């Protein structure tokens, strides 16, 4: 498990020395759009676990979360960890 910056640094250093294994990671680095951006493409082909729907899914819950995002914080980057915060907090609030 690593934070995005550490994952990006690891891939960059490995690329410098030509080390190119099949990488795998946990859901902590599952925001593919973010990781592709900060690794300048080195993230392509990464295998990772994930805990739910993708951010662009048309699942009714994701449609609702995107609407909340657009209404309450449209300036914030929409992504996996943004919606995960809502998905984990919503049942708590309803409970």
């Amino acid at each position: 498990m690593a934070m995005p910056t550490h994952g990006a640094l690891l891939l960059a250093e490995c690329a410098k020395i030509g080390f190119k294994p099949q990488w795998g990671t946990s859901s902590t680095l599952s925001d593919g759009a973010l990781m592709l951006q900060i690794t300048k493409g080195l993230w392509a082909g990464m295998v990772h676990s994930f805990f739910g729907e993708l951010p662009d899914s048309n699942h009714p819950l994701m449609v609702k979360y995107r609407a909340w995002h657009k209404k309450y914080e449209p300036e914030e980057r929409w992504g996996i960890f943004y919606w995960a915060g809502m998905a984990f907090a919503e049942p708590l609030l309803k409970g």
Side-chain angles (χ1 to χ4, degrees), residues 58-77:
N58 286 322
H59 185 279
L61 191 60
M62 296 306 298
V63 171
K64 177 174 80 170
Y65 289 162
R66 281 194 300 271
W68 286 357
H69 171 260
K70 185 177 180 179
K71 180 178 180 179
Y72 295 113
E73 284 197 55
E75 70 284 350
E76 190 70 35
R77 187 181 81 81

Side-chain angles (χ1 to χ4, degrees), residues 71-91:
K71 180 178 180 179
Y72 295 113
E73 284 197 55
E75 70 284 350
E76 190 70 35
R77 187 181 81 81
W78 172 254
I80 289 168
F81 297 113
Y82 187 94
W83 82 251
M86 291 186 283
F88 297 149
E90 185 182 21

Side-chain angles (χ1 to χ4, degrees), residues 25-46:
T25 185
S26 70
S27 62
T28 60
L29 297 178
S30 61
D31 190 332
L34 172 67
M35 294 306 296
L36 276 168
Q37 178 185 348
I38 67 174
T39 64
K40 297 178 178 71
L42 292 174
W43 200 252
M46 178 64 70

Side-chain angles (χ1 to χ4, degrees), residues 10-11 14-15 17-24 42-47:
L10 175 67
L11 287 179
C14 289
I17 63 170
F19 183 59
K20 298 178 182 181
Q22 173 61 64
W23 291 97
L42 292 174
W43 200 252
M46 178 64 70
V47 175

